[in-house]
Amino acid sequence: MPVEENSNSLQLFDPQIAKAIEDEKRRQQDKLILIASENCVSNAVLQAQGSILTNKYAEGYPGQRYYGGCEYVDTIEELARIRATDLFGVDHANVQPHAGALANLAVYVAVLQTGDSVLGMDRAHGGHLTHGSPVNISGMYYNFYSYGVDPDSGYLDMEEVRRMAKKVSPRLIVAGASAYSREIDFSAFHDIAREVGAYLMVDMAHIAGLIAAGLHSNPAPFADFITSTTHKTLRGPRGGLILCRQQFARAIDKAVFPGIQGGPLMHIVAAKAVAFKEADTEEFRLYQEQVLKNSRALAKEMIEMGFELLTGGTDNHLILVDLRSKNISGQEAESLLDEVGITVNKNAVPFDEESALVTSGIRLGTPSVTSRGMKEKEMETIAQLINDTLESRQDPLAISKIKRTVREMCADHPLYQDIIS
Ligand SMILES: *Cc1c(COP(=O)(O)O)cnc(C)c1O
């Protein structure tokens, strides 16, 4: 079957899928996306990701492939690797992990034996599934212990981390979080790891874009391994990344392939290269600065509206709202807000008494709305809309007014030029 050269070929051949994609595009355009782990990528990233590179098998690494015809994909992967190492100031990069979860697994496979002790952040306090949750392979194959945040301040308590590390003598300490709004002290983690003879892995999945822009301290001088996603604040294609010192390069590369993956997704690797190039620009630095300004503006206005924030504020792109004083669960808030066009996710607060499906909090992040050009003024409006939605949940008239305002804000800030509101 010859490939259709028609740009409408998806629409013609598979109208059901084409329609669902259009509907999703419309949803992204018409809603205020405050999911802290989401973003919207550039057309350049989309173009690389949607390219014919998907046709190519390239098991192995540049110059050492198990397939012929790899001369051009070698160029692509080399560029991606060099750009990643330059961007973060490290010796070695592996750009092949299909996802953040697999980047983490590859580090575990590279340095641990099954049953080894590992210390990571409690998922209920903001850690990630792949940091030892019993339902994840990390928790099934390795002996994870966890540290949490201080019950009063909500901040990571480094003395508690040290105490736990001394107690459990981990082979690896994992730093990094999915729901933590403060700067992480990588130097303190490094000191603790050295004291107990553990490796240090920093999972910067959420904050990689801030780090690339110099707006969060860089773990490179402190960590033995750095893992990341490329699609959160870094604003690249959906995928994973591992950075390490030269001494671990071979072990990491072997763990990714043939350890846990087969052929790399070369279209995604190309899109990662594009994203790393974008992240090395002044424009990107200004974008990340605005992400932070917006996050602070949102935090300030939420506090003024009477919401309680974990740690009382934020140093990064996200805020965590404790809804216990507002008499509404995270689950209820998430669904009410989605109804008016504000997409957030429910989130457990530390020491939460509700189940993981209900929760007592929500997590709000500014990367996506900032990519659409929204600034502090819009953040104030968003905080007010969130407050109004939760307060006026019984008032259909107020709710339809909020919906209209959300629609107008979205129309004023198009996601992509080819979407007309
Ligand atoms: C999102 C995230 C991951 C996993 O990324 P996936 O690409 O969804 O597998 C890993 N670690 C942290 C801290 C994350 O926030």
Side-chain angles (χ1 to χ4, degrees), residues 252-329:
I252 288 295
D253 285 353
K254 271 177 61 185
V256 173
F257 171 84
I260 60 175
Q261 291 188 172
L265 313 173
M266 289 313 303
H267 53 306
I268 300 293
V269 171
K272 285 173 184 169
V274 174
F276 299 148
K277 183 169 178 168
E278 288 177 352
D280 198 22
T281 60
E282 178 61 10
E283 212 183 326
F284 186 80
R285 204 185 56 73
L286 292 173
Y287 160 67
Q288 296 292 347
E289 258 177 22
Q290 192 63 49
V291 165
L292 287 187
K293 285 184 198 164
N294 284 352
S295 180
R296 285 189 210 116
L298 187 64
K300 183 162 169 281
E301 195 65 19
M302 290 294 284
I303 290 168
E304 260 161 45
M305 306 259 117
F307 287 95
E308 268 179 50
L309 305 193
L310 297 188
T311 74
T314 180
D315 297 330
N316 61 25
H317 62 297
L318 64 85
I319 66 176
L320 296 153
V321 186
D322 185 337
L323 292 168
R324 283 178 292 196
S325 62
K326 292 273 179 183
N327 248 328
I328 185 167
S329 72

Side-chain angles (χ1 to χ4, degrees), residues 97 99 199 235:
Y199 291 116
R235 208 165 64 175

Side-chain angles (χ1 to χ4, degrees), residues 126-283:
H128 191 259
L129 178 75
T130 56
H131 300 177
S133 164
V135 295
N136 181 260
I137 187 167
S138 56
M140 295 173 195
Y141 283 45
Y142 307 106
N143 194 9
F144 264 85
Y145 295 90
S146 52
Y147 56 84
V149 299
D150 180 84
D152 298 319
S153 69
Y155 278 75
L156 273 172
D157 176 352
M158 296 311 296
E159 275 319 306
E160 163 71 5
V161 178
R162 175 172 279 108
R163 199 186 57 76
M164 281 295 293
K166 285 187 169 154
K167 192 170 131 200
V168 308
S169 298
R171 184 158 171 79
L172 175 72
I173 296 179
V174 179
S178 300
Y180 185 66
S181 63
R182 294 299 180 174
E183 174 116 11
I184 297 176
D185 186 349
F186 300 129
S187 157
F189 271 104
H190 167 87
D191 292 346
I192 295 168
R194 285 300 164 272
E195 280 169 40
V196 302
Y199 291 116
L200 176 62
M201 169 179 129
V202 169
D203 179 348
M204 62 171 185
H206 260 265
I207 53 176
L210 297 171
I211 291 169
L215 299 172
H216 186 292
S217 72
N218 188 336
F222 306 110
D224 299 299
F225 310 94
I226 302 172
T227 58
S228 188
T229 59
T230 47
H231 50 271
K232 297 180 183 174
T233 52
L234 196 51
R235 208 165 64 175
R238 195 153 287 279
L241 171 69
I242 306 173
L243 308 170
C244 66
R245 300 219 173 84
Q246 196 53 45
Q247 72 188 108
F248 300 117
R250 242 182 83 75
I252 288 295
D253 285 353
K254 271 177 61 185
V256 173
F257 171 84
I260 60 175
Q261 291 188 172
L265 313 173
M266 289 313 303
H267 53 306
I268 300 293
V269 171
K272 285 173 184 169
V274 174
F276 299 148
K277 183 169 178 168
E278 288 177 352
D280 198 22
T281 60
E282 178 61 10
E283 212 183 326

Side-chain angles (χ1 to χ4, degrees), residues 5 19 22 42 79 93 113 251 256 264 269-270 298 361 383 402 415 418:
E5 276 301 333
K19 176 170 185 310
E22 280 309 307
S42 69
L79 278 170
Q113 304 288 319
V256 173
V269 171
L298 187 64
I402 296 167
L415 189 61
D418 62 335

